[in-house]
Amino acid sequence: MDMARDVAFPGSAGHRRGISEALADARVRRLAAWLPLAGVVALSLALNAWSLSAAGYGNTYYAAAVRSMTLSWKNFFFGAFDPGGFITVDKPPFFLWVDALSARVVGYSSWSLLLPSAVAGAASVGLLWIIVRKWFGVGAATIAGLVLALSPISVAVNRLNLPEPFMVLLLVGTAGAVLQSIESRRWMLWLALAGVLAGIGFNTKMLAAWIPGPAFVLAVVVGTRTISRASMRGLLARLAVFGAVTLVVGASWLVIVDAWPASSRPYIGGSTNNTVLQLAFGYNGFGRVDGDSQGGGGGRGGPPAGASSRGAPAFGGRFAPPTNGASRGGGFAGPGGIFGGLPSAFRMLDATNGGQIGWLLPFALFAGAVALWHWRRDPVRRAAGVAFLGWVLLYAGVFSYAQGIFHSYYTSAMAPGIAALAGIGSVALARSVRTNRWWLIAAVGLVVIGIWAELVIEARTPDFYGW
């Protein structure tokens, strides 16, 4: 009889208590699964925002523009550099809109200018964690989040009022939407969202935001499960939606400004003919690669002196304002030397850029290749590998051989791709080793390559932390 009383029959108090305890345990487990997300985001925000006011107004060129943009909505829309609306900055104004709105709401200060970048950087870490976790698990996501949060160049740009933190956030969102579209029945909505984000990215830093675009397109292609005439029609429809929305949103501000009477708007800073179109494809476009079209000037009195790179942050310990225009040797040549290092295949690992972005670059590339092989039969994970690997390779290729204006802080655009590859590549290596012990040789080799690269980079600053 005692045993009968201990049995929890359906509907009994014991049965209900058991269900409640099971539900409570499930809630605790779900909450615990999200704790790493809270951890990496909190870490990123702390690094980005700690003693933020010590940077003053950050990039003073953009800070001056934000001040002007708070004085009138016309200056706000065009991104005017000066209060009188004489000339614009040499970038589209989306990231400045965020800063200007912040300054309008809480007042013009160091925090109102710099905190939006810090928050955008932490949001990128969180969004990347969510994307990687969905298809590769908590371990891969946490590695990816930590790598992005701790990448030196990411922390540096996230503490300044630059376009990079916002461009990175938009690109991470674009990648996530593209991958979601591959397995969703609502693929049109997801690809439209990806196009919106990519278009806003263009209105943040123009063609620089579209460099990983071919990787996203290829991800959609390799995410196709079967090859047939019907699937090809569906694939073309997907690419058409993505491309059309990207172009419409990306061209929106450009078309409005160029259609505006030139006599009643500011001169387009950085352009040679007072058009955003020329700015996008010249000074901020192909001119960055071939070194031509870098002498943006003119109009009503010409742009302020040194308008191409004013106030650029001092990453790597040295900075001198540009004094003699663009150098075909790899950026502006000023009293402090050539910015961004000399163009070469190993530019991302040289003395100028290696300490900012090169720490995990060799490991991430090789581990990403392993991940692509490991999940070669899984359409979405295969597409993710292509997207992130292509992201890094495209940026590395353009940056390595750019003959025009190039600064080390541009490499922050590579950080999310490297972080994702480090996370999914580590998990792929671990799973491959468990499946076949011969993969242990590859795993040890990748770790050795990674450590070697880090020791080479660290040896360039022996007095920083010693051994």
Short mmCIF file of all heavy atoms in Angstrom, two decimals, residues 26 47 55 89 146 153 242 253 283 393 395 400 407 441-442:
data_model
loop_
_atom_site.label_atom_id
_atom_site.label_comp_id
_atom_site.label_asym_id
_atom_site.label_seq_id
_atom_site.Cartn_x
_atom_site.Cartn_y
_atom_site.Cartn_z
N ALA A 26 13.79 22.33 -17.58
CA ALA A 26 13.92 22.67 -19.00
C ALA A 26 14.16 24.16 -19.17
O ALA A 26 14.97 24.58 -20.02
CB ALA A 26 12.66 22.24 -19.75
N LEU A 47 34.59 46.17 -23.21
CA LEU A 47 35.83 46.58 -23.88
C LEU A 47 35.61 47.81 -24.75
O LEU A 47 36.47 48.70 -24.83
CB LEU A 47 36.35 45.43 -24.74
CG LEU A 47 36.87 44.20 -24.00
CD1 LEU A 47 37.18 43.08 -25.00
CD2 LEU A 47 38.12 44.54 -23.20
N ALA A 55 38.63 59.14 -25.29
CA ALA A 55 38.88 59.39 -26.71
C ALA A 55 38.38 60.74 -27.16
O ALA A 55 38.50 61.07 -28.35
CB ALA A 55 38.22 58.29 -27.55
N VAL A 89 30.66 65.48 -46.05
CA VAL A 89 31.79 64.59 -45.78
C VAL A 89 31.96 63.67 -46.98
O VAL A 89 31.13 63.62 -47.88
CB VAL A 89 31.58 63.77 -44.50
CG1 VAL A 89 31.54 64.67 -43.28
CG2 VAL A 89 30.31 62.94 -44.59
N LEU A 146 33.77 35.29 -29.05
CA LEU A 146 34.97 35.73 -28.33
C LEU A 146 36.02 36.30 -29.28
O LEU A 146 36.66 37.32 -28.99
CB LEU A 146 35.56 34.55 -27.55
CG LEU A 146 34.82 34.16 -26.27
CD1 LEU A 146 35.40 32.87 -25.71
CD2 LEU A 146 34.91 35.28 -25.24
N ILE A 153 41.56 45.13 -33.69
CA ILE A 153 41.07 46.19 -34.58
C ILE A 153 39.58 46.42 -34.38
O ILE A 153 39.09 47.54 -34.56
CB ILE A 153 41.40 45.85 -36.05
CG1 ILE A 153 41.37 47.12 -36.91
CG2 ILE A 153 40.50 44.78 -36.60
CD1 ILE A 153 42.40 48.14 -36.52
N PHE A 242 17.28 39.39 -54.20
CA PHE A 242 18.42 39.91 -53.42
C PHE A 242 19.07 41.09 -54.13
O PHE A 242 19.29 42.16 -53.54
CB PHE A 242 19.42 38.78 -53.21
CG PHE A 242 20.60 39.15 -52.35
CD1 PHE A 242 20.51 40.09 -51.35
CD2 PHE A 242 21.84 38.53 -52.55
CE1 PHE A 242 21.61 40.42 -50.56
CE2 PHE A 242 22.94 38.85 -51.78
CZ PHE A 242 22.83 39.80 -50.78
N TRP A 253 19.61 57.04 -51.59
CA TRP A 253 20.16 58.34 -51.20
C TRP A 253 20.94 58.97 -52.35
O TRP A 253 20.86 60.17 -52.60
CB TRP A 253 21.04 58.17 -49.97
CG TRP A 253 21.58 59.45 -49.41
CD1 TRP A 253 20.90 60.35 -48.64
CD2 TRP A 253 22.91 59.97 -49.58
NE1 TRP A 253 21.72 61.41 -48.31
CE2 TRP A 253 22.96 61.20 -48.88
CE3 TRP A 253 24.04 59.53 -50.25
CZ2 TRP A 253 24.11 61.98 -48.83
CZ3 TRP A 253 25.20 60.30 -50.20
CH2 TRP A 253 25.23 61.51 -49.50
N TYR A 283 36.40 58.08 -56.00
CA TYR A 283 37.19 58.27 -54.78
C TYR A 283 36.97 57.15 -53.76
O TYR A 283 37.92 56.65 -53.15
CB TYR A 283 36.83 59.63 -54.18
CG TYR A 283 37.49 59.93 -52.87
CD1 TYR A 283 38.83 60.31 -52.82
CD2 TYR A 283 36.79 59.82 -51.67
CE1 TYR A 283 39.45 60.57 -51.61
CE2 TYR A 283 37.39 60.09 -50.46
CZ TYR A 283 38.72 60.46 -50.43
OH TYR A 283 39.33 60.72 -49.23
N LEU A 393 38.29 36.08 -47.79
CA LEU A 393 39.18 36.07 -48.95
C LEU A 393 38.98 37.30 -49.83
O LEU A 393 39.95 37.87 -50.34
CB LEU A 393 38.96 34.80 -49.77
CG LEU A 393 39.45 33.49 -49.12
CD1 LEU A 393 39.04 32.30 -49.97
CD2 LEU A 393 40.97 33.52 -48.93
N TYR A 395 37.79 40.35 -48.95
CA TYR A 395 38.35 41.54 -48.28
C TYR A 395 39.87 41.48 -48.25
O TYR A 395 40.55 42.49 -48.51
CB TYR A 395 37.81 41.66 -46.86
CG TYR A 395 36.57 42.51 -46.75
CD1 TYR A 395 35.39 41.99 -46.23
CD2 TYR A 395 36.56 43.84 -47.17
CE1 TYR A 395 34.24 42.75 -46.12
CE2 TYR A 395 35.42 44.61 -47.05
CZ TYR A 395 34.26 44.07 -46.54
OH TYR A 395 33.13 44.85 -46.45
N SER A 400 44.80 43.65 -49.71
CA SER A 400 46.21 43.33 -49.88
C SER A 400 46.81 44.03 -51.09
O SER A 400 47.99 44.39 -51.08
CB SER A 400 46.39 41.81 -50.02
OG SER A 400 46.06 41.16 -48.82
N HIS A 407 43.94 52.25 -44.85
CA HIS A 407 44.35 52.35 -43.45
C HIS A 407 44.13 51.00 -42.77
O HIS A 407 43.22 50.24 -43.14
CB HIS A 407 43.55 53.43 -42.71
CG HIS A 407 43.86 54.82 -43.16
ND1 HIS A 407 45.00 55.49 -42.80
CD2 HIS A 407 43.17 55.66 -43.97
CE1 HIS A 407 45.01 56.69 -43.34
NE2 HIS A 407 43.91 56.82 -44.07
N ILE A 441 46.28 14.83 -37.34
CA ILE A 441 47.48 15.42 -37.95
C ILE A 441 47.15 16.82 -38.49
O ILE A 441 47.90 17.78 -38.28
CB ILE A 441 48.01 14.52 -39.09
CG1 ILE A 441 48.42 13.15 -38.52
CG2 ILE A 441 49.17 15.18 -39.81
CD1 ILE A 441 48.81 12.15 -39.59
N ALA A 442 46.01 16.92 -39.18
CA ALA A 442 45.60 18.22 -39.71
C ALA A 442 45.33 19.21 -38.58
O ALA A 442 45.70 20.39 -38.66
CB ALA A 442 44.36 18.06 -40.57
#
